[in-house]
Amino acid sequence: MIDAEVAPGGDQSSLRHLNTSRVLHLLYDGAPLTVNTLARVTGLSRPTVRGIVTTLVEAGLLAPDGEDTVRTGGRPARRYAFDRSAGRLAGIRFDVDGVWVRVTDLAGESAVTAHVALPADAAAARRIETAVSLVRDQLPSPDTPLWAAGAGTPGIVDSDGVVRLSVAIPGWTGTELTRDLGAGLGCRVVAAKDTNLAALAEHRSGAAQGVPDVLYVRMAGRLGVGILVDGLPFTGRTGAAGEIGRHPELGWREAPAKLFAASGSPRDTEDEAGALVFARALQGDPEARAAVDAYARTLADGIGAMALAVDTRLVVLGGGLAKWGVAVLDPIRRRLAEICYEVPPLALSALTDDAVSVGGVEAARDLVRAGMPGTVDAILGS
């Protein structure tokens, strides 16, 4: 085992970068710690840790966080915490009717949110410009650094952040989302299918906390599936994993419209129409109940196909109609019992419409973690 303070080949600069990254990682994800505790956890000497902490405090990334109750040498030991106010993160949700953003501190907390409506035929460039302006407007000041952003969109998004196909948003196919947002925001960006980010959000802070394998099903004007495997979004070879709505025999494309039609109120928005049908069904209206049961059966056929393929540990029902999801839980379970060897547990989203932007912030936090060596390079010099 290599000593943490003895660099192979005598490369002390590389070792200093490595040790600084270790301390920064530890405090970024954890509670405030004293120099002594940091030394014990990392295996570094106390003088080495103190030097690292001093450098990070001077760089504005760490801040004193009170004093420990345990006294050492007659004096309370000072704890140090990652300064979550040193920058901001952004989560962005694109949809056919607008852009939603969520801007937080570096811990993913202290969120501010905003939304701008857009016409369905808005050009891709306008959508990008709107998102960039909306994020910048939520920063505390023009000088506040934006460290990273995560963006979710309907459609198929490849590993380079390019929208390979979008049926929901006209003219959106081919948009280089990661590149264009990165250029506009001046930070690292990751782009993904919206339902995958929603699944990540439910895993980190919603209905699927502690569950590593999740199917997220979006119930709204369009149906969609996000897949989480071992705590990470699963995209497949091209980004199309989970796009079962394309299968013509499942009826997922037509299911929302059939449900909304049962409201008898053509002037209502989709959310209003869906809420009306679900509310009537819960009150025992036979026509509404029949419409909800048909919708649930169609949902369950797709969920069952996915559950058989990936043997998930939990199915989360999310999207704008999830608040009424209690109306579909029992009929979905009954249908799944006809399809699956074992019916997977079902849960309603704890985040509903916010799930995609929350997931975007979580994806941005992952970018910060992965880019910690670059942060250290900027402090120490590469």
Side-chain angles (χ1 to χ4, degrees):
M1 179 176 175
I2 298 174
D3 191 319
E5 296 187 72
V6 178
D11 188 350
Q12 295 303 314
S13 176
S14 296
L15 184 62
R16 186 182 179 213
H17 280 65
L18 174 63
N19 290 338
T20 303
S21 292
R22 292 170 63 196
V23 170
L24 198 54
H25 263 293
L26 189 59
L27 291 174
Y28 180 69
D29 282 317
L33 298 173
T34 65
V35 168
N36 283 343
T37 301
L38 284 167
R40 288 198 301 271
V41 172
T42 61
L44 301 172
S45 70
R46 191 172 183 278
T48 296
V49 171
R50 180 165 294 284
I52 290 172
V53 166
T54 298
T55 298
L56 293 175
V57 168
E58 291 174 350
L61 297 184
L62 298 186
D65 187 70
E67 294 178 331
D68 204 341
T69 56
V70 178
R71 292 178 175 268
T72 58
R75 296 175 56 192
R78 174 163 287 179
R79 297 189 302 266
Y80 292 90
F82 188 90
D83 188 353
R84 61 182 61 183
S85 67
R88 291 295 185 272
L89 304 172
I92 305 167
R93 174 165 76 95
F94 292 95
D95 215 328
V96 63
D97 54 351
V99 179
W100 291 255
V101 303
R102 182 182 191 87
V103 175
T104 73
D105 62 21
L106 295 176
E109 300 174 357
S110 303
V112 293
T113 61
H115 164 241
V116 168
L118 291 173
D121 61 355
R126 182 180 174 188
R127 293 182 186 277
I128 297 293
E129 290 166 3
T130 299
V132 169
S133 296
L134 203 53
V135 168
R136 294 205 172 280
D137 287 346
Q138 310 318 307
L139 298 176
S141 76
D143 297 329
T144 302
L146 185 67
W147 281 34
T153 177
I156 299 171
V157 183
D158 67 19
S159 58
D160 293 323
V162 178
V163 181
R164 291 173 55 90
L165 176 66
S166 177
V167 176
I169 303 179
W172 196 232
T173 297
T175 300
E176 298 190 52
L177 204 49
T178 294
R179 185 200 67 181
D180 294 347
L181 279 175
L185 294 172
C187 69
R188 287 169 287 177
V189 174
V190 60
K193 184 170 72 170
D194 53 4
T195 48
N196 275 352
L197 288 185
L200 180 65
E202 296 288 351
H203 170 63
R204 297 277 175 86
S205 61
Q209 291 183 64
V211 183
D213 304 321
V214 179
L215 284 182
Y216 175 91
V217 180
R218 183 181 191 269
M219 301 195 310
R222 56 184 171 81
L223 300 178
V225 173
I227 308 172
L228 206 71
V229 176
D230 290 335
L232 296 173
F234 179 77
T235 61
R237 179 176 59 88
T238 65
E243 292 294 306
I244 60 171
R246 181 173 175 79
H247 198 298
E249 299 303 318
L250 287 176
W252 271 38
R253 289 185 179 180
E254 301 80 18
K258 290 179 179 179
L259 177 72
F260 301 147
S263 72
S265 301
R267 296 181 181 179
D268 286 343
T269 66
E270 291 177 345
D271 282 352
E272 291 170 340
L276 182 59
V277 176
F278 280 131
R280 287 176 177 170
L282 289 170
Q283 293 172 358
D285 181 278
E287 292 185 8
R289 184 71 261 175
V292 169
D293 284 350
Y295 177 75
R297 186 178 181 88
T298 301
L299 268 179
D301 285 344
I303 293 170
M306 292 296 303
L308 287 172
V310 302
D311 196 21
T312 189
R313 300 190 189 190
L314 178 67
V315 177
V316 176
L317 303 178
L321 296 179
K323 60 180 69 73
W324 298 96
V326 66
V328 298
L329 288 177
D330 284 343
I332 286 177
R333 287 192 185 100
R334 289 195 297 270
R335 178 57 174 163
L336 287 177
E338 301 172 8
I339 298 172
C340 301
Y341 294 108
E342 293 185 19
V343 176
L346 302 178
L348 297 177
S349 167
L351 304 170
T352 60
D353 284 339
D354 290 333
V356 177
S357 56
V358 171
V361 169
E362 289 300 319
R365 291 187 71 204
D366 289 344
L367 276 183
V368 170
R369 292 186 187 96
M372 207 68 83
T375 302
V376 171
D377 286 345
I379 297 168
L380 302 181
S382 55

